[in-house]
Amino acid sequence: RCEVSIFVARATAWSPSEPYLYDLKVSTPTDAVTSYFGLRTFALGDGPKGRRPLLNGNFTFLAGFLDQSWWPDGQYTAPTDEALAFDVEAVATFGLNMIRLHQKVNPERWYWHADRLGVVVFQDMVQKYGRASKATVPLFVSDAAAMVHGRRNHPSILQWTAFNEGDCWEVFDTPPHDVAGGGAPL
């Protein structure tokens, strides 16, 4: 494992209005890999009407739709790359800038489309419906950690949503994963 720091002079931040991505190539004498990255910050800030999201230090109104990533000719698997990109591309058509990806982790290519098109993603954790118990908590936590680890480098993902509906979170009542006590699932 090797860690590398990169200095970017006059960096351009990624945003829905300017989804700037940097190309990256890392090579050794015997191998090379290409990738990309985007730079951005996301925080909450106090505004005249309460706490609001700050994208790159600017108050940003995020509006979007719920995407369940279902395709009639592939069900939960997109039949083509064009199908995978379709919902992400539709966001701008409706004057929106965000998708809440509903309880599904999509293929990397889907997030690449969001990254390149400047679509903000609110990523839901996949839920355990029915018979959630203390025994399922470690599985949920492990899956959530794997989801974040696998998709954390996408500049488009601004929010990780742990719980969607009320039939899963009630079993998180023991520290360090107690929801009522403010504990986080990860």
Side-chain angles (χ1 to χ4, degrees), residues 3-55:
E3 291 190 24
V4 176
S5 295
I6 301 171
F7 175 75
V8 180
R10 296 182 303 280
T12 300
W14 181 96
S15 70
S17 61
E18 188 177 359
Y20 193 87
L21 298 172
Y22 291 88
D23 293 322
L24 175 68
K25 181 177 182 179
V26 178
S27 59
T28 68
T30 59
D31 200 4
V33 64
T34 59
S35 188
Y36 70 92
F37 65 95
L39 301 172
R40 57 121 178 105
T41 62
F42 188 64
L44 292 176
D46 293 321
K49 296 184 179 185
R51 299 198 45 91
R52 296 179 51 196
L54 297 172
L55 179 59

Side-chain angles (χ1 to χ4, degrees), residues 72-91:
D73 47 354
Q75 295 189 11
Y76 292 107
T77 302
T80 64
D81 189 57
E82 291 78 17
L84 198 61
F86 182 82
D87 290 348
V88 181
E89 292 169 345
V91 170

Side-chain angles (χ1 to χ4, degrees), residues 53-138:
L54 297 172
L55 179 59
N56 302 319
N58 299 309
F59 290 117
T60 304
F61 182 76
L62 300 171
F65 57 78
L66 180 72
D67 183 343
Q68 295 186 329
S69 294
W70 188 87
W71 295 272
D73 47 354
Q75 295 189 11
Y76 292 107
T77 302
T80 64
D81 189 57
E82 291 78 17
L84 198 61
F86 182 82
D87 290 348
V88 181
E89 292 169 345
V91 170
T93 303
F94 294 100
L96 305 172
N97 61 2
M98 185 267 293
I99 288 178
R100 177 177 156 216
L101 186 54
H102 186 60
Q103 300 189 35
K104 181 177 190 272
V105 179
N106 271 340
E108 283 285 336
R109 188 79 174 168
W110 187 90
Y111 299 91
W112 177 77
H113 290 301
D115 291 343
R116 74 179 175 83
L117 294 170
V119 175
V120 168
V121 176
F122 286 6
Q123 174 66 60
D124 281 7
M125 173 57 190
V126 178
Q127 305 292 293
K128 163 81 168 92
Y129 289 106
R131 298 189 304 268
S133 68
K134 291 193 185 309
T136 63
V137 168

